[in-house]
Each structure stands twice: as structure tokens, then as C-alpha cells.
Amino acid sequence: MRNFFALTRLTRVGLHLVRGLWIVNRHFPGWRADQKSERIQAWAQAALALLSIDLKLNGTPPAKGPVLLVANHVSWLDIVVLLASCHCRFVSKSEIDRWPVVGALTRAAGTLFIARSSRRDALRVVHQMAEKLHADSGMVLAIFPEGTTSNGLQVLPFHANLFQAAISADAPVQTVALRFEDAASGQPSLAACYIDDDTFLGSVWRTLRAPQQRVVLSFGPAQHCAGRNRQAWAADARTEISAMLKA
């Protein structure tokens, strides 16, 4: 029975992805930025509903920027979850740009792609991020400074390089702690995790077969660097997210 429900969810999500791609190709070229933002958020919220994942918000998501949104990284679903809570643009690994359908959708959402193995490309993206944060008063950029996914029960060390963009643009950082849990019991759930020996398809199938889930996003206050360098700021952000996960 669980497999039947999983296949039903898979079919619906697949159709939702295709419909999203059709909207991007058909309507996005002629839409204003605010129209795109509203449709992206609505699409992400519908995707979570199709996956039987409730969204709970603690604190206040950024309504506008400039701000660098900093989150822990648990799942391939994290981008969808954050898009469902607020409009933001992501800095993501370049491999995603080549994924079928998903690559086109993330490009439509304004994602900046980075080759994580290339220091030169990292410098390019930091410069690009700083320019956007400085030039666009409404810009919200989101990063996952762990650089990889964890099980969501603890936070891995942060890479500090991308924090330099906020320092250069004199923009604040806002932390957000992301936690998946079983909706019935409130206990932590590993269903959506994508870690260690997990394959992408295996993680997707486990998510589709899981009972009702809840993802909790806890937003901290926006803070300026206050004289901190990027390493100190990254360490403080990690400590803040870890504390919110335990609260």
C-alpha cells in the first residue's frame, strides 16, 4: 500500500515539474520580477503539498533584501522548502544546472552556479554575489555554507568564503535552521536526507514512501558583520543555527 501511495505521489510531482517547466518557457519571458516571484513561491508550496510535507515557520522570513540567507543543508528538497517560505535566489553547485528539468527550473529562479572545486570560480561568484547585494535593495541570496548535506541533527563546519560577499556589500546575514520531522510524532525524520551512501533516486523514493512529514524553518534576526571577518561570522552563524535546531 505504501508503494502505491508513493507511485501516486511520484506521478503527481512529475506532472508538477513538467507544468513548472512549461510555465517557465511560456510565461516567464514576459512577466515582471514580482510575478515570477509569486509564481515560484506558489509552485514550491504546491510541490511540498504533493509530497505530503507540511511547512512550519518560526521567526520572520526576509520580505526583501539586501540580505544573505544562511541555512543548514539536509536534503535535495531544501531549495524547494526555502522557496516556499520566501523569494530568494540561490548559490548552488554547478552540477544542478545540468540536471534535466530541475536545472531549467533553478535557472528560472535566478540561481547562481558555482564550481565548488575551483577557487577561481568561487572568487567569481563571491564578486557576483556582492554586486547583486549592493545593486539590488530587494535581493535575497541564499547559501548552504556546509557545502554538503548532513542528517539535519547537527551542523557541519561552515565554509566562510561566501560570507565575504555580505561583508563587501555591507549587507546583513540572516540565519535559518532547517529541520525535517515526522508530522504525527514531532520526532526528527531522516526520510528526506541525502547523505553518505544515499543515491539521489533512493532518497527521492524514501521521501515518497514516508508518512506525513513536517519541515520546520526557524529564522533568526538579520545581523551585520559588526567588525567580524568572514571566518568569525561563519562560525557565529553556525553556532546560531545549531542552537535553533536544539530549541
Side-chain angles (χ1 to χ4, degrees):
M1 184 62 70
R2 185 172 291 183
N3 286 344
F4 171 77
F5 284 119
L7 288 171
T8 301
R9 287 177 183 171
L10 178 61
T11 301
R12 292 174 177 172
V13 171
L15 292 173
H16 190 60
L17 285 170
V18 172
R19 184 171 182 271
L21 186 60
W22 180 83
I23 291 172
V24 164
N25 291 327
R26 178 67 176 83
H27 296 291
F28 267 37
W31 279 356
R32 301 186 310 269
D34 61 325
Q35 291 175 307
K36 295 178 183 179
S37 299
E38 290 173 4
R39 183 52 64 92
I40 288 170
Q41 185 171 13
W43 182 92
Q45 290 171 347
L48 292 181
L50 289 171
L51 288 166
S52 297
I53 298 176
D54 299 329
L55 177 62
K56 179 181 178 181
L57 302 181
N58 295 324
T60 306
K64 62 179 182 177
V67 64
L68 183 64
L69 195 61
V70 175
N72 61 311
H73 199 8
V74 179
S75 170
W76 49 275
L77 272 172
D78 294 350
I79 289 178
V80 178
V81 169
L82 286 172
L83 286 175
S85 70
C86 64
H87 176 65
C88 54
R89 297 176 64 177
F90 290 88
V91 179
S92 186
K93 60 183 182 180
S94 56
E95 291 87 343
I96 292 179
D97 189 30
R98 298 189 292 270
W99 288 7
V101 182
V102 175
L105 292 173
T106 52
R107 285 195 301 275
T111 299
L112 306 179
F113 295 101
I114 180 174
R116 294 192 184 276
S117 60
S118 170
R119 178 176 175 81
R120 183 176 181 179
D121 197 55
L123 292 173
R124 174 191 66 82
V125 171
V126 168
H127 181 69
Q128 189 177 6
M129 290 170 61
E131 284 187 336
K132 292 186 178 299
L133 288 169
H134 181 74
D136 188 343
S137 61
M139 178 61 63
V140 180
L141 285 176
I143 62 173
F144 302 108
E146 289 169 291
T148 187
T149 49
S150 74
N151 61 13
L153 303 179
Q154 68 277 322
V155 184
L156 300 176
F158 278 4
H159 298 285
N161 289 348
L162 298 184
F163 283 78
Q164 184 61 44
I167 294 174
S168 299
D170 192 25
V173 160
Q174 184 171 6
T175 54
V176 53
L178 190 153
R179 182 177 73 250
F180 285 89
E181 59 187 33
D182 180 83
S185 67
Q187 294 301 306
S189 171
L190 302 181
C193 288
Y194 183 31
I195 55 174
D196 299 331
D197 295 329
D198 286 340
T199 63
F200 176 70
L201 291 178
S203 176
V204 170
W205 184 244
R206 187 172 61 239
T207 303
L208 291 168
R209 293 185 75 250
Q212 188 84 20
Q213 303 287 295
R214 180 187 301 115
V215 59
V216 181
L217 291 182
S218 299
F219 290 86
Q223 300 180 21
H224 283 271
C225 69
R228 291 171 288 186
N229 61 25
R230 65 193 186 201
Q231 289 83 6
W233 206 359
D236 287 347
R238 178 178 180 244
T239 299
E240 186 174 340
I241 291 173
S242 296
M244 287 191 290
L245 286 176
K246 295 174 182 177

